[in-house]
Coordinates of all heavy atoms in Angstrom, one line a residue:
Chain B
T45 N -6.4 -3.1 9.0 CA -5.1 -2.6 9.5 C -4.2 -3.9 9.7 O -4.7 -5.0 9.6 CB -5.2 -1.9 10.8 OG1 -5.9 -2.7 11.7 CG2 -5.9 -0.6 10.7
G46 N -2.9 -3.7 9.8 CA -2.0 -4.8 10.0 C -1.5 -5.3 8.7 O -1.7 -4.6 7.6
P47 N -0.7 -6.4 8.7 CA 0.0 -6.8 7.5 C -0.8 -7.1 6.3 O -0.4 -7.0 5.2 CB 0.7 -8.1 7.9 CG 0.5 -8.2 9.4 CD -0.4 -7.2 9.9
L48 N -2.1 -7.5 6.5 CA -3.0 -7.8 5.3 C -3.8 -6.6 4.9 O -4.6 -6.7 4.0 CB -3.9 -9.0 5.7 CG -3.2 -10.3 5.9 CD1 -4.2 -11.4 6.4 CD2 -2.5 -10.8 4.6
A49 N -3.5 -5.4 5.5 CA -4.3 -4.3 5.2 C -4.4 -3.9 3.7 O -5.5 -3.6 3.2 CB -3.8 -3.0 6.0
P50 N -3.3 -4.0 2.9 CA -3.5 -3.7 1.5 C -4.5 -4.6 0.8 O -5.3 -4.1 0.0 CB -2.1 -4.0 0.9 CG -1.1 -3.9 2.1 CD -1.9 -4.3 3.3
E51 N -4.6 -5.8 1.2 CA -5.6 -6.7 0.5 C -7.0 -6.4 1.1 O -7.9 -6.4 0.3 CB -5.2 -8.2 0.9 CG -3.8 -8.6 0.5 CD -3.4 -8.3 -0.9 OE1 -4.3 -8.5 -1.8 OE2 -2.3 -7.8 -1.1
G52 N -7.0 -6.2 2.4 CA -8.3 -5.9 3.0 C -9.0 -4.6 2.4 O -10.1 -4.6 2.1
I53 N -8.1 -3.6 2.2 CA -8.6 -2.3 1.6 C -9.1 -2.6 0.2 O -10.1 -2.0 -0.3 CB -7.5 -1.3 1.7 CG1 -7.3 -0.9 3.2 CG2 -7.9 0.0 0.8 CD1 -6.0 -0.1 3.4
K54 N -8.4 -3.4 -0.6 CA -8.8 -3.7 -2.0 C -10.2 -4.4 -2.0 O -11.1 -4.0 -2.8 CB -7.9 -4.7 -2.6 CG -6.6 -4.1 -3.2 CD -5.7 -5.1 -3.8 CE -4.5 -4.4 -4.3 NZ -3.5 -5.3 -4.9
Q55 N -10.4 -5.3 -1.0 CA -11.8 -5.9 -1.0 C -12.8 -4.9 -0.6 O -13.9 -4.9 -1.2 CB -11.8 -7.0 0.1 CG -11.1 -8.2 -0.4 CD -11.6 -9.5 0.3 OE1 -12.2 -9.4 1.3 NE2 -11.4 -10.6 -0.4
K56 N -12.5 -4.0 0.3 CA -13.5 -2.9 0.6 C -13.8 -2.1 -0.6 O -15.0 -1.8 -0.8 CB -12.9 -2.1 1.7 CG -13.8 -1.0 2.3 CD -13.3 -0.3 3.5 CE -14.3 0.7 4.1 NZ -14.5 1.8 3.2
E57 N -12.8 -1.8 -1.4 CA -13.1 -1.0 -2.6 C -14.1 -1.8 -3.5 O -15.0 -1.2 -4.1 CB -11.8 -0.8 -3.4 CG -10.9 0.2 -2.7 CD -9.5 0.3 -3.4 OE1 -9.2 -0.5 -4.3 OE2 -8.8 1.3 -3.1
G58 N -13.9 -3.1 -3.6 CA -14.9 -3.9 -4.4 C -16.3 -3.9 -3.9 O -17.2 -3.6 -4.6
Y59 N -16.4 -4.1 -2.5 CA -17.7 -4.1 -1.9 C -18.4 -2.7 -2.1 O -19.6 -2.6 -2.4 CB -17.6 -4.4 -0.4 CG -17.2 -5.8 -0.1 CD1 -16.3 -5.9 1.0 CD2 -17.6 -6.9 -0.8 CE1 -15.8 -7.2 1.3 CE2 -17.1 -8.1 -0.5 CZ -16.2 -8.3 0.6 OH -15.8 -9.5 0.9
D60 N -17.6 -1.6 -1.9 CA -18.1 -0.3 -1.9 C -18.7 0.0 -3.3 O -19.7 0.6 -3.5 CB -17.1 0.7 -1.6 CG -16.9 0.8 0.0 OD1 -17.7 0.3 0.7 OD2 -15.8 1.3 0.4
L61 N -17.9 -0.4 -4.3 CA -18.3 -0.1 -5.7 C -19.6 -0.9 -6.0 O -20.5 -0.3 -6.6 CB -17.2 -0.6 -6.7 CG -17.5 -0.4 -8.2 CD1 -17.6 1.1 -8.5 CD2 -16.5 -1.0 -9.1
W62 N -19.7 -2.1 -5.5 CA -21.0 -2.8 -5.8 C -22.2 -2.1 -5.1 O -23.2 -1.9 -5.7 CB -20.9 -4.3 -5.3 CG -22.2 -4.9 -5.2 CD1 -23.1 -5.2 -6.3 CD2 -22.9 -5.3 -4.0 NE1 -24.2 -5.7 -5.8 CE2 -24.2 -5.8 -4.4 CE3 -22.6 -5.2 -2.7 CZ2 -25.1 -6.2 -3.5 CZ3 -23.6 -5.6 -1.8 CH2 -24.8 -6.1 -2.2
A63 N -21.9 -1.8 -3.8 CA -23.0 -1.2 -3.1 C -23.5 0.1 -3.8 O -24.7 0.4 -3.9 CB -22.6 -0.8 -1.6
E64 N -22.5 0.9 -4.2 CA -22.8 2.2 -4.9 C -23.6 1.9 -6.2 O -24.6 2.6 -6.5 CB -21.5 2.9 -5.3 CG -21.6 4.2 -5.8 CD -20.3 4.8 -6.3 OE1 -19.5 5.2 -5.4 OE2 -20.0 4.7 -7.5
Q65 N -23.2 0.9 -7.0 CA -23.9 0.6 -8.2 C -25.3 0.0 -8.0 O -26.3 0.4 -8.6 CB -23.1 -0.4 -9.1 CG -21.8 0.2 -9.7 CD -22.1 1.4 -10.5 OE1 -23.0 1.5 -11.3 NE2 -21.3 2.5 -10.2

Side-chain angles (χ1 to χ4, degrees):
Chain B
T45 55
L48 293 174
E51 307 306 320
I53 290 164
K54 278 182 183 175
Q55 284 207 338
K56 184 170 183 294
E57 288 174 347
Y59 296 140
D60 283 343
L61 182 67
W62 165 67
E64 187 186 281
Q65 290 306 314

